[in-house]
Amino acid sequence: MSTCMNVGSDATHPIASAPAACGVATDRSVHHPLDRSARVFVAGKGGLVGSAVWRCLTREGFTDLVGPGSAELDLRERGAVLDWFAAMRPDVVVLAAARVGGIKANATRPAEFLSDNLRIQVNVLDAALKHGVERLLFLGSSCIYPKFAEQPIREEAVLTGPLEPTNDAYAIAKLAGILQVQAVRRQYGLPWISAMPTNLYGPGDNFHPEHSHVLPSLIRRFHEAKESGARQVVNWGSGTPCREFLHVDDLARACLHLLELYDADSPVNVGTGTDLSIRELAELVADVVGYRGSIEWDPTKPNGTPRKLLDVSRLTALGWTPRVALREGIARTYTWYVESRESGTLRH
């Protein structure tokens, strides 16, 4: 049984309930099927989320996908982004590009996380507005919510309390993106939307020893320990914080679902609605990997937010449910990790 417990307050803030743009629904489903021949710009196509969105759209029959890599188009460079939009004229934008990382990366490089993400977002959103992109989905992060938000976290909890200090810079950037999308809706009436994914994992993840998120970090750590015959693996923190995990292919399906069935001012949580402690997660990953040594914890390292479970009722009311169970998803991700490592294509 999970050791996760409820914490938090019950409050609301205008960013989550701002008035809708003229003529745009405030909180209801719509039927807005996307033309499969429309040009769709997947910003961040080379990353964990962008690559999954690309796979999903390809499976669904979209024939004109564009997603230049960072070497071809640096989204932090405003002039380059504006020129690219003028030349390519996308009809739909999925803004999945971001500088991302785990607790250590966020805590040690907050200036980069704030500056890079703000520039990426402002450049893409401004260019999309200038060139009349009708449909846009901005992907934020569940870290936008207060550290001690009431669980499960409803979308209305935004800005109702202090953020988790280890990732506040990243969270502030994502909050700015949500507000810019809402501002465009209010001022220009465009049906742009935002989604807040929970902790993600899957093929294409970053397995860097210092900059990765918790699940890929555990996969790498236990695999290397199994290979080396290490008797113990020491993980950061106490293992008591609770987290929710969503396979990135489920998120990609949710993105298309929202683009076609949602048009409202509020961001939408995307998750599974269930969580487990980091200790339980570590034991599950170790079992999948086949590591049989001791699992230890270093309580001198930061834990992060005590619990982060999303209320996903707004999304499930639209008819969406996750398909990939956690154990199955970890097993698939581990297989991908081993194959990518052996082939030399692993992302670091």
Side-chain angles (χ1 to χ4, degrees):
M1 178 178 293
S2 174
T3 56
C4 304
M5 302 294 292
N6 286 338
V7 295
S9 60
D10 183 15
T12 59
H13 191 280
I15 195 172
S17 56
C22 181
V24 179
T26 56
D27 191 12
R28 66 174 176 82
S29 63
V30 297
H31 185 59
H32 193 304
L34 297 181
D35 183 349
R36 267 43 182 175
S37 65
R39 175 162 292 177
V40 182
F41 173 32
V42 181
K45 182 251 181 181
L48 171 66
V49 175
S51 60
V53 170
W54 190 280
R55 290 193 300 271
C56 175
L57 296 180
T58 300
R59 286 194 303 268
E60 291 295 323
F62 286 84
T63 59
D64 191 5
L65 302 179
V66 289
S70 57
E72 182 180 353
L73 177 63
D74 186 342
L75 296 178
R76 297 170 299 179
E77 297 296 330
R78 186 171 182 83
V81 174
L82 290 169
D83 289 346
W84 186 89
F85 267 81
M88 299 302 294
R89 299 278 179 174
D91 303 300
V92 181
V93 173
V94 178
L95 181 42
R99 175 182 284 278
V100 298
I103 288 180
K104 184 172 182 179
N106 275 275
T108 58
R109 295 187 293 157
E112 294 173 38
F113 275 80
L114 182 63
S115 177
D116 285 353
N117 285 302
L118 284 174
R119 284 187 288 162
I120 289 168
Q121 294 164 193
V122 169
N123 291 342
V124 173
L125 294 173
D126 282 355
L129 177 61
K130 179 177 181 180
H131 294 287
V133 172
E134 177 70 15
R135 202 69 170 134
L136 181 144
L137 171 61
F138 170 74
L139 285 164
S141 167
S142 59
C143 73
I144 65 166
Y145 292 115
K147 179 174 182 176
F148 297 109
E150 182 181 3
Q151 306 290 321
I153 307 172
R154 300 173 63 221
E155 287 86 353
E156 290 80 7
V158 173
L159 292 183
T160 59
L163 299 167
E164 161 57 41
T166 58
N167 60 16
D168 55 2
Y170 179 74
I172 288 294
K174 288 300 182 180
L175 285 165
I178 297 170
L179 188 55
Q180 187 170 354
V181 167
Q182 291 180 334
V184 168
R185 289 180 64 92
R186 293 198 298 272
Q187 186 171 346
Y188 297 98
L190 289 172
W192 291 8
I193 57 175
S194 299
M196 301 299 109
T198 190
N199 299 284
L200 301 170
Y201 71 99
D205 212 337
N206 183 355
F207 290 83
H208 190 280
E210 294 184 352
H211 304 150
S212 59
H213 288 104
V214 60
L215 205 157
S217 176
L218 289 172
I219 289 176
R220 176 192 52 77
R221 192 174 298 133
F222 284 123
H223 176 76
E224 291 177 353
K226 183 180 74 169
E227 282 191 323
S228 67
R231 289 189 171 187
Q232 69 173 16
V233 170
V234 180
N235 299 306
W236 272 33
S238 65
T240 58
C242 295
R243 294 292 183 270
E244 173 185 20
F245 294 92
L246 180 71
H247 194 279
V248 72
D249 287 342
D250 275 338
L251 171 63
R253 290 192 307 104
C255 289
L256 179 56
H257 197 85
L258 288 168
L259 282 167
E260 297 194 312
L261 293 174
Y262 185 74
D263 179 11
D265 207 58
S266 172
V268 181
N269 289 337
V270 184
T272 64
T274 60
D275 63 357
L276 76 169
S277 71
I278 298 301
R279 185 180 295 272
E280 291 169 322
L281 176 68
E283 293 168 352
L284 177 57
V285 172
D287 188 53
V288 169
V289 170
Y291 175 72
R292 301 294 179 246
S294 174
I295 302 174
E296 306 295 335
W297 300 89
D298 181 0
T300 66
K301 301 298 185 182
N303 272 326
T305 302
R307 191 185 187 198
K308 194 165 62 174
L309 174 66
L310 299 183
D311 181 330
V312 293
S313 57
R314 180 168 285 156
L315 179 57
T316 56
L318 295 172
W320 180 91
T321 56
R323 295 177 182 172
V324 184
L326 183 57
R327 185 182 185 90
E328 173 195 353
I330 292 174
R332 284 161 49 177
T333 304
Y334 178 54
T335 297
W336 179 89
Y337 166 76
V338 172
E339 292 175 349
S340 299
R341 182 173 174 170
E342 291 176 349
S343 66
T345 59
L346 187 66
R347 179 182 171 210
H348 293 292

